């Protein structure tokens, strides 16, 4: 029963574990939640995320609304610069697109990410994005005209016009952390540590209605909200076998 439910859990939990891996990679590079990880040059092989593009400048804010709404400011596009991307909840479901084809239509905007269950009226002047998870991320690309050092530098400078701060705070508090040429390993571990990362996610995030069917399955393998995840050696061996089986699927 543990093995079968563990296989089902892996297939269900891949997006959540991938989020935890991305966040941990950011933390390992010195960033915190509500800060902006960015790459000051086009990414190289040390960026081990899913499908990175080596022809743009990436900016990757990780948001946390557990203490209240978070503001993300996107600068307007101009003749030489444009930022495109998307806001995503921790389950990696998109909240909104950014840029000429997004909610701001390329004119720039202040986006307000609100936490689950938020009922207060948002101030005027914001594009409001109600998040179904407390945490999430924003994938932004500041595109350059050529691979010349000058054009890349210009794209980085435009990207740093992005601001991230708590509602009621100020844009000057935005922190940028450069991850270029540093290990940024967001690959999913297909061993028993997969379940440790999933437990971390379950403890931090609310249950979505769509996922409540998984509560008992997770309890079977030892993951339960509000309780520590401490599988014994026998259970760890079963979980390790199950995650490898799920990976083969």
């Amino acid at each position: 029963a543990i093995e079968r439910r563990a296989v089902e859990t892996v297939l269900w939990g891949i997006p959540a574990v991938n989020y935890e891996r991305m966040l941990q990679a950011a933390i390992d590079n010195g960033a915190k939640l509500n800060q902006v990880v960015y790459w000051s040059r086009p990414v190289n092989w040390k960026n081990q995320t899913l499908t990175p593009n080596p022809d743009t400048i990436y900016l990757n804010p990780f948001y946390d609304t557990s203490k209240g709404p978070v503001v993300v400011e996107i600068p307007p596009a101009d003749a030489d610069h444009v930022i495109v991307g998307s806001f995503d909840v921790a389950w990696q479901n998109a909240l909104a697109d950014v840029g000429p084809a997004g909610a701001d239509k390329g004119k720039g905007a202040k986006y307000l990410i609100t936490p689950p269950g938020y009922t207060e009226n948002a101030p005027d002047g914001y594009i409001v994005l109600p998040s179904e998870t407390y945490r999430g991320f924003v994938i932004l690309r500041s595109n350059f005209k050529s691979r010349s050092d000058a054009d890349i530098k210009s794209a980085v400078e435009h990207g740093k016009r992005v601001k991230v701060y708590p509602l009621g705070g100020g844009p000057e508090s935005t922190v940028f952390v450069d991850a270029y040429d540093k290990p940024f390993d967001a690959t999913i571990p297909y061993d028993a540590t997969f379940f440790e990362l999933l437990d971390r996610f379950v403890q931090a995030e609310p249950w979505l209605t769509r996922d409540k069917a998984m509560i008992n399955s997770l309890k079977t393998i030892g993951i339960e909200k509000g309780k520590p995840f401490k599988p014994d050696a026998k259970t760890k061996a079963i979980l390790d076998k199950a995650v490898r089986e799920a990976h083969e699927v």
Side-chain angles (χ1 to χ4, degrees):
I2 292 174
E3 182 178 355
R4 299 323 309 158
R5 291 192 172 188
V7 171
E8 295 171 0
T9 295
V10 172
L11 299 178
W12 165 77
I14 285 173
V17 170
N18 184 226
Y19 168 78
E20 292 293 345
R21 286 289 290 172
M22 288 191 294
L23 176 58
Q24 188 61 53
I27 292 171
D28 290 344
N29 276 280
K32 299 178 181 179
L33 286 160
N34 294 334
Q35 295 182 353
V36 184
V37 179
Y38 79 104
W39 283 258
S40 57
R41 300 282 301 177
V43 297
N44 58 21
W45 67 270
K46 292 183 180 180
N47 181 310
Q48 291 293 311
T49 54
L50 295 176
T51 63
N53 182 343
D55 294 314
T56 190
I57 293 298
Y58 277 104
L59 299 104
N60 194 183
F62 288 86
Y63 70 80
D64 178 13
T65 63
S66 60
K67 295 181 179 179
V70 173
V71 179
V72 178
E73 293 188 17
I74 303 296
D78 59 35
D80 296 317
H81 306 96
V82 64
I83 290 178
V84 297
S86 66
F87 288 79
D88 298 82
V89 302
W91 274 109
Q92 305 197 42
N93 301 325
L95 284 174
D97 289 333
V98 172
D104 59 279
K105 307 299 183 185
K107 298 178 181 179
K110 292 182 179 180
Y111 289 85
L112 184 67
I113 310 170
T114 60
Y118 189 76
T119 57
E120 296 182 31
N121 293 326
D124 293 335
Y126 292 89
I127 296 175
V128 180
L129 303 179
S131 179
E132 61 186 3
T133 57
Y134 289 109
R135 303 169 303 160
F137 60 98
V138 192
I139 294 288
L140 300 174
R141 303 166 189 83
S142 183
N143 295 330
F144 43 75
K145 297 175 67 175
S146 77
R147 296 185 70 88
S148 71
D149 288 343
D151 282 346
I152 289 173
K153 180 182 178 182
S154 184
V156 171
E157 291 173 349
H158 185 70
K160 283 192 169 184
R161 293 177 62 192
V162 169
K163 303 299 178 185
V164 179
Y165 53 94
L167 180 64
E172 68 281 353
S173 64
T174 303
V175 175
F176 291 88
V177 177
D178 189 358
Y180 175 67
D181 206 33
K182 299 175 183 177
F184 195 90
D185 187 1
T187 54
I188 297 171
Y190 286 100
D191 55 34
T193 60
F194 181 101
F195 299 96
E196 296 173 9
L197 291 163
L198 184 60
D199 176 69
R200 186 188 304 175
F201 186 95
V202 168
Q203 301 305 328
E205 299 297 344
W207 280 107
L208 305 186
T209 300
R210 67 169 200 201
D211 295 322
K212 288 185 177 180
M214 293 299 298
I215 292 176
N216 286 335
S217 292
L218 288 169
K219 187 176 181 180
T220 299
I221 63 176
I223 296 177
E224 190 172 358
K225 188 176 284 290
K227 295 185 178 181
F229 176 57
K230 294 182 178 181
D232 57 26
K234 180 179 179 180
T235 302
K236 279 186 177 180
I238 295 171
L239 295 177
D240 188 69
K241 179 181 177 182
V243 75
R244 285 186 280 110
E245 179 181 346
H247 188 206
E248 293 173 359
V249 173

